[in-house]
Amino acid sequence: MLRIECPWCGKRDEGEFSYGGEADIKRPLAPDDLSDAEWADYLFMRTNPKGAHRELWNHAHGCRRWFVAERDTVTYRFLDSRDSRDSGDSGDSGDSGDSGDSGDSGDSGEVEVPA
């Protein structure tokens, strides 16, 4: 079983977490303006790298917060985990925290959401 480190609760068994997909996916602000090919690219195309990869995780059976983890896709070893609001992400972390801030910077025309 994998051990995943929650930035708030520490290391826990993988069964406490839900995978949220690739981090850094930007949601278009005007999806109605996209072609079918552009919408399909947003929905389905992911980088799928070999090696270090940034992913969204939710501590579903713990603090219920979203965070970004860097994981090696070859060894499955987790290299880092941090609050998604502190990792350079521009979008809503989706956590149950009390800030209520969506994190949208407003200048890129895109916001990030868990996949």
Side-chain angles (χ1 to χ4, degrees), residues 62-78:
C63 64
R64 302 178 71 184
R65 292 184 177 194
W66 284 94
F67 62 95
V68 173
E70 186 172 350
R71 181 178 65 89
D72 187 308
T73 60
V74 175
T75 65
Y76 294 99
R77 188 170 70 102
F78 281 81

Side-chain angles (χ1 to χ4, degrees), residues 33-96:
D33 296 339
L34 299 178
S35 69
D36 288 344
E38 291 169 324
W39 184 245
D41 184 59
Y42 162 70
L43 289 177
F44 304 113
M45 300 306 291
R46 300 297 181 255
T47 59
N48 196 25
K50 183 177 183 179
H53 180 59
R54 287 171 40 90
E55 303 169 327
L56 290 169
W57 286 85
N58 177 257
H59 193 179
H61 299 285
C63 64
R64 302 178 71 184
R65 292 184 177 194
W66 284 94
F67 62 95
V68 173
E70 186 172 350
R71 181 178 65 89
D72 187 308
T73 60
V74 175
T75 65
Y76 294 99
R77 188 170 70 102
F78 281 81
L79 308 171
D80 187 31
S81 63
R82 63 183 75 178
D83 182 342
S84 60
R85 295 172 293 181
D86 296 336
S87 64
D89 297 331
S90 62
D92 183 3
S93 65
D95 70 27
S96 59

Side-chain angles (χ1 to χ4, degrees), residues 10-29:
K11 287 195 177 204
R12 301 287 195 268
D13 290 338
E14 68 179 301
E16 292 189 18
F17 297 89
S18 295
Y19 177 71
E22 181 177 331
D24 309 317
I25 302 296
K26 304 294 183 193
R27 180 179 174 87
L29 282 179

